Amino acid sequence: MIELAFSILASDFAHLADEVAAAERGGGTIVHVDVMDGHFVPNITFGPPMVKSLRAVTKLPLDCHLMIERPDDFISEFAAAGADMVSVHQEVCRHLHRTLQLIADHKMLPGVVINPATPVETLIEVLPMVHHVLVMSVNPGFGGQQFLPFTLNKIAYLAELREELGLNFRIEVDGGVAHDTVAQVVEAGADMLVAGSAVFCPGKTEQNARELLALARAAAPDKLAQKG
Ligand code: DX5
Ligand code: ZN
């Protein structure tokens, strides 16, 4: 199933509830929450209080992408705030298996993220325990960057591995996913599509989301295209 995970990083925070509602009307089914600490990435955003506010205004699953060092220290806070999925970067986790287990122990769905320059092979051992693998298609830290085409090979490789190993983790892609890039991303094998700047735009959010999803579904192989 192809799903749109809209990134609130590109939304108008002063009208967050309306922004989320507009993206949901357009067909978005996951709220993507970009947490940045100013250390792992050169930008700062928000943390568990934002998740708590979102939890109060939407029933959609909250997908927290932690671009932070020492994620273990914050897992219980994200759980208490109402997060449904938490993904951590391979590059910051010395004990990746332990961190993913900690997320699962808190009854959230664990995901692992790799930067554009990090090889898929670094994940082989943890693939059986993750709900999703998030492939960064830009260097993390900012919205509105250009999609890096070489990451398409990583998506395709992950889809192949999933088949070969008989696993069922989902493949999420994040960064520069827009109307002109989404078809390639889906063709490569992604099924959770993160998009921020291609979705949020005053007065056009609902339409943007709807059009992006339609393009994605049109590019999908049959088994991915169905809704629900
Ligand atoms: C980048 C974030 C992304 C970002 C995507 O570090 O992880 O989720 O918000 O933004 P767009 O869709 O504008 O590239
Ligand atoms: Zn993200």
Side-chain angles (χ1 to χ4, degrees), residues 7-193:
S7 165
I8 58 153
L9 186 61
S11 71
D12 175 359
F13 300 156
H15 302 100
L16 193 57
D18 296 342
E19 293 277 79
V20 169
E24 184 174 5
R25 283 196 303 277
T29 45
I30 298 171
V31 185
H32 185 81
V33 185
D34 285 307
V35 179
M36 304 187 190
D37 67 352
H39 291 275
F40 175 58
V41 288
N43 195 8
I44 297 176
T45 56
F46 34 68
M50 174 61 99
V51 173
K52 195 173 171 203
S53 296
L54 284 164
R55 187 71 294 156
V57 298
T58 183
K59 292 196 163 50
L60 293 180
L62 303 176
D63 167 30
C64 300
H65 173 193
L66 304 192
M67 287 161 273
I68 64 175
E69 289 177 2
R70 301 197 294 132
D72 298 39
D73 294 357
F74 297 93
I75 300 306
S76 64
E77 274 191 65
F78 279 98
D84 300 282
M85 309 176 199
V86 166
S87 57
V88 291
H89 272 260
Q90 184 274 352
E91 299 85 3
V92 299
C93 293
R94 272 202 197 145
H95 308 285
L96 183 57
H97 175 271
R98 175 187 282 156
T99 303
L100 293 168
Q101 189 59 54
L102 186 66
I103 296 168
D105 289 346
H106 283 81
K107 311 270 180 277
M108 300 182 291
L109 300 171
V112 66
V113 196
I114 44 174
N115 279 339
T118 303
V120 166
E121 283 83 355
T122 58
L123 305 180
I124 306 278
E125 276 73 13
V126 296
L127 289 178
M129 71 187 300
V130 296
H131 169 263
H132 57 288
V133 175
L134 172 46
V135 176
M136 289 307 299
S137 40
V138 298
N139 288 295
F142 303 93
Q145 302 182 78
Q146 251 202 340
F147 184 82
L148 296 169
F150 73 87
T151 60
L152 289 168
N153 290 336
K154 296 170 71 179
I155 302 168
Y157 180 33
L158 266 169
E160 249 174 62
L161 274 176
R162 180 172 59 187
E163 187 79 29
E164 228 171 77
L165 302 172
L167 297 172
N168 55 12
F169 58 84
R170 301 189 69 182
I171 303 177
E172 185 175 31
V173 177
D174 186 2
V177 175
H179 296 68
D180 57 340
T181 54
V182 72
Q184 297 163 275
V185 168
V186 170
E187 278 160 16
D191 56 21
M192 281 170 74
L193 309 169

